[in-house]
Amino acid sequence: MKFVHPNDQERGEIQNNFTLQGSGGALVLNDRDKLYLITEVRASGAWSCNYTNSKGESYTRNGSGNTLLHPPWSAEILVFSGILEVSGYFMEVGNV
C-alpha cells in the first residue's frame, strides 16, 4: 500500500506540474514513486488511456478531443494513445 504525505497534496499542484507532448505512439507515465494527477488531455480525435490505480487495478478510459478533468484523475501507471498533449501534476508516494 502507498501513501501521500499531507504536505505534498497542497504543494504538488504548484511545484510538480507537467505538460507532455504525445508523439503519435504511446505516451507512458510509470514512475512507481509518483502518483500522477491528470488535469487535461488534448487530442484532435479519439484517445484512450490504460491505467493502474493505487490498488493495482487496471482500467481503460476513453475520450474524444480536448478534455479538462476536474477533479483531477489519479493513477500510478498510465499509457496514453492518440493524444497531442497531457497535463497534470504528480505527488511523491511512499510505501507503508
Side-chain angles (χ1 to χ4, degrees):
M1 176 172 246
K2 300 204 174 188
F3 72 93
V4 175
H5 192 279
N7 290 341
D8 290 341
Q9 291 177 346
E10 293 180 20
R11 186 175 49 214
E13 189 171 359
I14 298 166
Q15 291 181 334
N16 301 331
N17 54 53
F18 62 86
T19 297
L20 301 172
Q21 303 291 317
S23 62
L27 175 65
V28 180
L29 302 173
N30 65 351
D31 186 333
R32 289 288 195 174
D33 294 329
K34 295 178 181 175
L35 176 66
Y36 296 98
L37 292 101
I38 305 303
T39 57
E40 182 179 15
V41 177
R42 297 193 64 213
S44 59
W47 59 269
S48 68
C49 181
N50 295 314
Y51 66 98
T52 303
N53 66 14
S54 60
K55 295 179 183 178
E57 302 165 331
S58 296
Y59 297 96
T60 299
R61 186 167 186 161
N62 300 302
S64 182
N66 298 337
T67 306
L68 288 173
L69 301 161
H70 185 71
W73 158 42
S74 64
E76 286 188 18
I77 301 171
L78 301 108
V79 181
F80 288 95
S81 61
I83 67 163
L84 298 173
E85 187 173 89
V86 62
S87 297
Y89 59 98
F90 64 87
M91 291 186 282
E92 300 289 336
V93 296
N95 291 315
V96 176

